[in-house]
Amino acid sequence: VQLQASGGGLVQAGGSLRLSCAASGRTLSRYALGWFRQAPGKEREFVGAINWSVGNTYYADFAKGRFTISRDSAKNTMNLQMNSLEPEDTAVYYCAGDPFVEAHAMSVSPPGYWGQGTQVTVSS
């Protein structure tokens, strides 16, 4: 599967941003897709994920209540709606997927397919 993230940009603290991840090359029914991020000088961290066929989602603690993952099956696109953004959310955001790693496991079992990142910068 090929994944392409988009939608990053510069936003002020408290603002919102919506990222998208377009998937191609495979039927996604058996896949879970997820979002990860990496800030400068820090390790990559799990943001959240969705099981494509069922639509259930899982989030890192920092994302709960602020971030929402959704999917558009007709467009083979996963979205990440980010609200109440903080400067600490500044990072390169990556989408990733795997047919053998379920959404709830992605925080400990990184998926095998990755897209390029999109930069999110939150100014204070």
Side-chain angles (χ1 to χ4, degrees):
V1 66
Q2 290 79 47
L3 302 169
Q4 184 169 357
S6 62
L10 174 64
V11 63
Q12 289 188 335
S16 299
L17 207 58
R18 184 179 177 88
L19 306 184
S20 294
C21 176
S24 61
R26 287 287 188 273
T27 300
L28 295 178
S29 59
R30 293 190 298 173
Y31 274 73
L33 297 185
W35 290 97
F36 294 75
R37 69 183 188 182
Q38 187 166 20
K42 295 187 177 182
E43 293 187 353
R44 183 181 64 196
E45 64 178 345
F46 172 76
V47 176
I50 184 168
N51 288 315
W52 192 266
S53 61
V54 180
N56 53 329
T57 53
Y58 296 86
Y59 298 94
D61 286 343
F62 70 82
K64 292 177 182 177
R66 298 192 301 131
F67 294 1
T68 302
I69 293 174
S70 62
R71 73 191 190 311
D72 184 335
S73 298
K75 296 181 179 180
N76 264 15
T77 298
M78 173 180 63
N79 301 304
L80 177 65
Q81 178 67 42
M82 303 186 291
N83 299 327
S84 302
L85 284 164
E86 305 166 351
E88 292 73 23
D89 295 316
T90 295
V92 178
Y93 284 71
Y94 299 88
C95 61
D98 200 295
F100 303 113
V101 179
E102 294 191 6
H104 73 277
M106 278 196 180
S107 60
V108 294
S109 299
Y113 299 91
W114 292 80
Q116 91 293 355
T118 185
Q119 176 71 47
V120 172
T121 303
V122 184
S123 63
S124 58

